[in-house]
PDB file of all heavy atoms in Angstrom:
ATOM      1  N   LYS A 559     -26.996   6.508  65.046  1.00 88.00           N
ATOM      2  CA  LYS A 559     -26.833   5.058  65.234  1.00 88.00           C
ATOM      3  C   LYS A 559     -27.084   4.417  63.812  1.00 88.00           C
ATOM      4  O   LYS A 559     -27.945   4.754  63.085  1.00 88.00           O
ATOM      5  CB  LYS A 559     -27.944   4.580  66.127  1.00 88.00           C
ATOM      6  CG  LYS A 559     -27.783   3.214  66.764  1.00 88.00           C
ATOM      7  CD  LYS A 559     -28.864   2.855  67.719  1.00 88.00           C
ATOM      8  CE  LYS A 559     -28.630   1.495  68.206  1.00 88.00           C
ATOM      9  NZ  LYS A 559     -29.735   1.179  69.315  1.00 88.00           N
ATOM     10  N   LYS A 560     -26.069   3.507  63.592  1.00 86.00           N
ATOM     11  CA  LYS A 560     -26.023   2.847  62.193  1.00 86.00           C
ATOM     12  C   LYS A 560     -27.313   2.023  62.039  1.00 86.00           C
ATOM     13  O   LYS A 560     -27.767   1.329  62.894  1.00 86.00           O
ATOM     14  CB  LYS A 560     -24.789   1.983  62.188  1.00 86.00           C
ATOM     15  CG  LYS A 560     -24.608   1.469  60.802  1.00 86.00           C
ATOM     16  CD  LYS A 560     -23.323   0.663  60.654  1.00 86.00           C
ATOM     17  CE  LYS A 560     -23.015   0.277  59.361  1.00 86.00           C
ATOM     18  NZ  LYS A 560     -21.759  -0.531  59.175  1.00 86.00           N
ATOM     19  N   GLY A 561     -27.861   2.320  60.936  1.00 87.00           N
ATOM     20  CA  GLY A 561     -29.045   1.630  60.564  1.00 87.00           C
ATOM     21  C   GLY A 561     -30.492   2.227  61.000  1.00 87.00           C
ATOM     22  O   GLY A 561     -31.471   1.867  60.605  1.00 87.00           O
ATOM     23  N   GLU A 562     -30.366   3.332  61.758  1.00 92.00           N
ATOM     24  CA  GLU A 562     -31.550   4.105  62.266  1.00 92.00           C
ATOM     25  C   GLU A 562     -31.699   5.343  61.422  1.00 92.00           C
ATOM     26  O   GLU A 562     -30.788   5.912  60.795  1.00 92.00           O
ATOM     27  CB  GLU A 562     -31.304   4.417  63.739  1.00 92.00           C
ATOM     28  CG  GLU A 562     -31.223   3.289  64.683  1.00 92.00           C
ATOM     29  CD  GLU A 562     -32.435   2.500  64.880  1.00 92.00           C
ATOM     30  OE1 GLU A 562     -33.550   3.136  64.537  1.00 92.00           O
ATOM     31  OE2 GLU A 562     -32.504   1.402  65.396  1.00 92.00           O
ATOM     32  N   LYS A 563     -32.994   5.866  61.390  1.00 94.00           N
ATOM     33  CA  LYS A 563     -33.206   7.105  60.822  1.00 94.00           C
ATOM     34  C   LYS A 563     -32.405   8.259  61.483  1.00 94.00           C
ATOM     35  O   LYS A 563     -32.238   8.164  62.726  1.00 94.00           O
ATOM     36  CB  LYS A 563     -34.768   7.365  60.782  1.00 94.00           C
ATOM     37  CG  LYS A 563     -35.656   6.546  59.881  1.00 94.00           C
ATOM     38  CD  LYS A 563     -37.004   7.050  59.969  1.00 94.00           C
ATOM     39  CE  LYS A 563     -37.880   6.357  58.884  1.00 94.00           C
ATOM     40  NZ  LYS A 563     -39.353   6.790  59.025  1.00 94.00           N
ATOM     41  N   THR A 564     -32.164   9.176  60.654  1.00 95.00           N
ATOM     42  CA  THR A 564     -31.286  10.364  61.264  1.00 95.00           C
ATOM     43  C   THR A 564     -32.307  11.253  62.088  1.00 95.00           C
ATOM     44  O   THR A 564     -33.493  11.189  61.946  1.00 95.00           O
ATOM     45  CB  THR A 564     -30.702  11.276  60.080  1.00 95.00           C
ATOM     46  OG1 THR A 564     -31.793  11.630  59.226  1.00 95.00           O
ATOM     47  CG2 THR A 564     -29.817  10.308  59.448  1.00 95.00           C
ATOM     48  N   HIS A 565     -31.604  12.040  63.049  1.00 96.00           N
ATOM     49  CA  HIS A 565     -32.402  13.153  63.665  1.00 96.00           C
ATOM     50  C   HIS A 565     -32.648  14.216  62.666  1.00 96.00           C
ATOM     51  O   HIS A 565     -31.743  14.590  61.959  1.00 96.00           O
ATOM     52  CB  HIS A 565     -31.548  13.694  64.756  1.00 96.00           C
ATOM     53  CG  HIS A 565     -31.258  12.734  65.943  1.00 96.00           C
ATOM     54  ND1 HIS A 565     -32.188  11.591  66.290  1.00 96.00           N
ATOM     55  CD2 HIS A 565     -30.281  12.689  66.828  1.00 96.00           C
ATOM     56  CE1 HIS A 565     -31.601  10.859  67.258  1.00 96.00           C
ATOM     57  NE2 HIS A 565     -30.435  11.528  67.604  1.00 96.00           N
ATOM     58  N   ALA A 566     -33.855  14.755  62.675  1.00 97.00           N
ATOM     59  CA  ALA A 566     -34.309  15.826  61.794  1.00 97.00           C
ATOM     60  C   ALA A 566     -34.127  17.220  62.270  1.00 97.00           C
ATOM     61  O   ALA A 566     -34.692  17.537  63.332  1.00 97.00           O
ATOM     62  CB  ALA A 566     -35.744  15.594  61.274  1.00 97.00           C
ATOM     63  N   TRP A 567     -33.341  18.045  61.766  1.00 98.00           N
ATOM     64  CA  TRP A 567     -33.052  19.439  62.264  1.00 98.00           C
ATOM     65  C   TRP A 567     -33.494  20.462  61.178  1.00 98.00           C
ATOM     66  O   TRP A 567     -33.555  20.251  60.007  1.00 98.00           O
ATOM     67  CB  TRP A 567     -31.471  19.633  62.255  1.00 98.00           C
ATOM     68  CG  TRP A 567     -30.817  19.266  63.613  1.00 98.00           C
ATOM     69  CD1 TRP A 567     -29.888  18.293  63.695  1.00 98.00           C
ATOM     70  CD2 TRP A 567     -30.871  19.879  64.818  1.00 98.00           C
ATOM     71  NE1 TRP A 567     -29.319  18.265  65.039  1.00 98.00           N
ATOM     72  CE2 TRP A 567     -30.004  19.280  65.658  1.00 98.00           C
ATOM     73  CE3 TRP A 567     -31.680  20.878  65.339  1.00 98.00           C
ATOM     74  CZ2 TRP A 567     -29.810  19.572  67.093  1.00 98.00           C
ATOM     75  CZ3 TRP A 567     -31.574  21.317  66.692  1.00 98.00           C
ATOM     76  CH2 TRP A 567     -30.523  20.640  67.482  1.00 98.00           C
ATOM     77  N   TYR A 568     -33.983  21.437  61.760  1.00 98.00           N
ATOM     78  CA  TYR A 568     -34.334  22.712  60.929  1.00 98.00           C
ATOM     79  C   TYR A 568     -34.163  23.905  61.846  1.00 98.00           C
ATOM     80  O   TYR A 568     -34.724  23.991  62.900  1.00 98.00           O
ATOM     81  CB  TYR A 568     -35.809  22.591  60.420  1.00 98.00           C
ATOM     82  CG  TYR A 568     -36.177  23.684  59.275  1.00 98.00           C
ATOM     83  CD1 TYR A 568     -35.744  23.528  58.028  1.00 98.00           C
ATOM     84  CD2 TYR A 568     -36.891  24.779  59.778  1.00 98.00           C
ATOM     85  CE1 TYR A 568     -36.122  24.514  57.158  1.00 98.00           C
ATOM     86  CE2 TYR A 568     -37.216  25.756  58.835  1.00 98.00           C
ATOM     87  CZ  TYR A 568     -36.779  25.596  57.451  1.00 98.00           C
ATOM     88  OH  TYR A 568     -37.138  26.669  56.550  1.00 98.00           O
ATOM     89  N   ALA A 569     -33.353  24.820  61.352  1.00 98.00           N
ATOM     90  CA  ALA A 569     -33.126  26.161  62.008  1.00 98.00           C
ATOM     91  C   ALA A 569     -33.359  27.278  61.114  1.00 98.00           C
ATOM     92  O   ALA A 569     -32.832  27.340  60.010  1.00 98.00           O
ATOM     93  CB  ALA A 569     -31.688  26.028  62.590  1.00 98.00           C
ATOM     94  N   ALA A 570     -34.235  28.105  61.504  1.00 98.00           N
ATOM     95  CA  ALA A 570     -34.671  29.225  60.654  1.00 98.00           C
ATOM     96  C   ALA A 570     -34.813  30.532  61.360  1.00 98.00           C
ATOM     97  O   ALA A 570     -34.903  30.573  62.677  1.00 98.00           O
ATOM     98  CB  ALA A 570     -36.035  28.960  60.066  1.00 98.00           C
ATOM     99  N   VAL A 571     -34.725  31.606  60.487  1.00 98.00           N
ATOM    100  CA  VAL A 571     -34.909  33.017  61.089  1.00 98.00           C
ATOM    101  C   VAL A 571     -35.800  33.746  60.173  1.00 98.00           C
ATOM    102  O   VAL A 571     -35.963  33.474  58.943  1.00 98.00           O
ATOM    103  CB  VAL A 571     -33.548  33.799  61.206  1.00 98.00           C
ATOM    104  CG1 VAL A 571     -32.724  33.273  62.187  1.00 98.00           C
ATOM    105  CG2 VAL A 571     -32.836  33.831  59.798  1.00 98.00           C
ATOM    106  N   ALA A 572     -36.608  34.800  60.540  1.00 98.00           N
ATOM    107  CA  ALA A 572     -37.502  35.518  59.840  1.00 98.00           C
ATOM    108  C   ALA A 572     -37.741  36.909  60.488  1.00 98.00           C
ATOM    109  O   ALA A 572     -37.877  36.895  61.792  1.00 98.00           O
ATOM    110  CB  ALA A 572     -38.838  34.734  59.574  1.00 98.00           C
ATOM    111  N   PRO A 573     -38.076  37.879  59.815  1.00 98.00           N
ATOM    112  CA  PRO A 573     -37.626  38.001  58.431  1.00 98.00           C
ATOM    113  C   PRO A 573     -36.146  37.954  58.284  1.00 98.00           C
ATOM    114  O   PRO A 573     -35.481  38.512  59.198  1.00 98.00           O
ATOM    115  CB  PRO A 573     -38.107  39.534  58.192  1.00 98.00           C
ATOM    116  CG  PRO A 573     -39.184  39.800  59.093  1.00 98.00           C
ATOM    117  CD  PRO A 573     -38.797  39.118  60.261  1.00 98.00           C
ATOM    118  N   LEU A 574     -35.661  37.490  57.175  1.00 97.00           N
ATOM    119  CA  LEU A 574     -34.220  37.085  57.138  1.00 97.00           C
ATOM    120  C   LEU A 574     -33.325  38.376  57.335  1.00 97.00           C
ATOM    121  O   LEU A 574     -32.318  38.328  58.132  1.00 97.00           O
ATOM    122  CB  LEU A 574     -33.927  36.478  55.811  1.00 97.00           C
ATOM    123  CG  LEU A 574     -32.566  36.072  55.562  1.00 97.00           C
ATOM    124  CD1 LEU A 574     -31.989  35.231  56.571  1.00 97.00           C
ATOM    125  CD2 LEU A 574     -32.383  35.466  54.131  1.00 97.00           C
ATOM    126  N   TYR A 575     -33.760  39.492  56.607  1.00 95.00           N
ATOM    127  CA  TYR A 575     -32.869  40.658  56.664  1.00 95.00           C
ATOM    128  C   TYR A 575     -33.092  41.613  57.794  1.00 95.00           C
ATOM    129  O   TYR A 575     -32.392  42.536  57.958  1.00 95.00           O
ATOM    130  CB  TYR A 575     -32.825  41.336  55.337  1.00 95.00           C
ATOM    131  CG  TYR A 575     -32.382  40.457  54.230  1.00 95.00           C
ATOM    132  CD1 TYR A 575     -33.292  39.711  53.287  1.00 95.00           C
ATOM    133  CD2 TYR A 575     -30.971  40.274  54.133  1.00 95.00           C
ATOM    134  CE1 TYR A 575     -32.703  38.802  52.454  1.00 95.00           C
ATOM    135  CE2 TYR A 575     -30.466  39.320  53.053  1.00 95.00           C
ATOM    136  CZ  TYR A 575     -31.299  38.657  52.186  1.00 95.00           C
ATOM    137  OH  TYR A 575     -30.824  37.755  51.367  1.00 95.00           O
ATOM    138  N   GLU A 576     -34.246  41.341  58.635  1.00 96.00           N
ATOM    139  CA  GLU A 576     -34.494  42.099  59.795  1.00 96.00           C
ATOM    140  C   GLU A 576     -35.108  41.105  60.790  1.00 96.00           C
ATOM    141  O   GLU A 576     -36.349  41.293  61.246  1.00 96.00           O
ATOM    142  CB  GLU A 576     -35.480  43.268  59.600  1.00 96.00           C
ATOM    143  CG  GLU A 576     -34.959  44.391  58.677  1.00 96.00           C
ATOM    144  CD  GLU A 576     -35.963  45.526  58.370  1.00 96.00           C
ATOM    145  OE1 GLU A 576     -37.053  45.393  59.057  1.00 96.00           O
ATOM    146  OE2 GLU A 576     -35.600  46.421  57.636  1.00 96.00           O
ATOM    147  N   PRO A 577     -34.220  40.291  61.353  1.00 97.00           N
ATOM    148  CA  PRO A 577     -34.719  39.072  62.153  1.00 97.00           C
ATOM    149  C   PRO A 577     -35.460  39.510  63.437  1.00 97.00           C
ATOM    150  O   PRO A 577     -35.041  40.306  64.113  1.00 97.00           O
ATOM    151  CB  PRO A 577     -33.428  38.351  62.460  1.00 97.00           C
ATOM    152  CG  PRO A 577     -32.463  38.766  61.538  1.00 97.00           C
ATOM    153  CD  PRO A 577     -32.658  40.223  61.178  1.00 97.00           C
ATOM    154  N   GLU A 578     -36.628  38.911  63.642  1.00 98.00           N
ATOM    155  CA  GLU A 578     -37.421  39.086  64.797  1.00 98.00           C
ATOM    156  C   GLU A 578     -37.512  37.723  65.566  1.00 98.00           C
ATOM    157  O   GLU A 578     -37.779  37.767  66.803  1.00 98.00           O
ATOM    158  CB  GLU A 578     -38.773  39.490  64.438  1.00 98.00           C
ATOM    159  CG  GLU A 578     -38.865  40.906  63.842  1.00 98.00           C
ATOM    160  CD  GLU A 578     -40.306  41.304  63.423  1.00 98.00           C
ATOM    161  OE1 GLU A 578     -41.289  40.653  63.987  1.00 98.00           O
ATOM    162  OE2 GLU A 578     -40.494  42.143  62.618  1.00 98.00           O
ATOM    163  N   ILE A 579     -37.340  36.646  64.876  1.00 98.00           N
ATOM    164  CA  ILE A 579     -37.594  35.385  65.618  1.00 98.00           C
ATOM    165  C   ILE A 579     -36.544  34.310  64.847  1.00 98.00           C
ATOM    166  O   ILE A 579     -36.422  34.340  63.769  1.00 98.00           O
ATOM    167  CB  ILE A 579     -39.048  34.877  65.373  1.00 98.00           C
ATOM    168  CG1 ILE A 579     -39.227  33.468  66.060  1.00 98.00           C
ATOM    169  CG2 ILE A 579     -39.524  34.978  64.028  1.00 98.00           C
ATOM    170  CD1 ILE A 579     -40.649  33.120  66.288  1.00 98.00           C
ATOM    171  N   ALA A 580     -36.080  33.444  65.746  1.00 98.00           N
ATOM    172  CA  ALA A 580     -35.262  32.270  65.295  1.00 98.00           C
ATOM    173  C   ALA A 580     -35.887  31.017  65.866  1.00 98.00           C
ATOM    174  O   ALA A 580     -36.237  31.038  67.024  1.00 98.00           O
ATOM    175  CB  ALA A 580     -33.830  32.466  65.737  1.00 98.00           C
ATOM    176  N   VAL A 581     -36.039  30.094  65.055  1.00 98.00           N
ATOM    177  CA  VAL A 581     -36.623  28.891  65.460  1.00 98.00           C
ATOM    178  C   VAL A 581     -35.758  27.555  65.198  1.00 98.00           C
ATOM    179  O   VAL A 581     -35.193  27.492  64.126  1.00 98.00           O
ATOM    180  CB  VAL A 581     -38.035  28.440  64.804  1.00 98.00           C
ATOM    181  CG1 VAL A 581     -38.725  27.197  65.283  1.00 98.00           C
ATOM    182  CG2 VAL A 581     -38.914  29.695  65.061  1.00 98.00           C
ATOM    183  N   ALA A 582     -35.558  26.697  66.073  1.00 98.00           N
ATOM    184  CA  ALA A 582     -34.725  25.445  65.974  1.00 98.00           C
ATOM    185  C   ALA A 582     -35.692  24.320  66.324  1.00 98.00           C
ATOM    186  O   ALA A 582     -36.284  24.316  67.353  1.00 98.00           O
ATOM    187  CB  ALA A 582     -33.560  25.408  66.692  1.00 98.00           C
ATOM    188  N   VAL A 583     -35.746  23.379  65.459  1.00 98.00           N
ATOM    189  CA  VAL A 583     -36.565  22.207  65.686  1.00 98.00           C
ATOM    190  C   VAL A 583     -35.656  20.836  65.640  1.00 98.00           C
ATOM    191  O   VAL A 583     -34.907  20.785  64.508  1.00 98.00           O
ATOM    192  CB  VAL A 583     -37.710  22.055  64.760  1.00 98.00           C
ATOM    193  CG1 VAL A 583     -38.557  20.758  65.010  1.00 98.00           C
ATOM    194  CG2 VAL A 583     -38.576  23.300  64.816  1.00 98.00           C
TER     195      VAL A 583
END
Side-chain angles (χ1 to χ4, degrees):
K559 192 175 183 180
K560 192 173 182 179
E562 297 287 343
K563 285 185 177 182
T564 58
H565 296 331
W567 272 114
Y568 189 78
V571 292
L574 178 59
Y575 296 100
E576 293 182 3
E578 297 178 18
I579 181 173
V581 180
V583 180

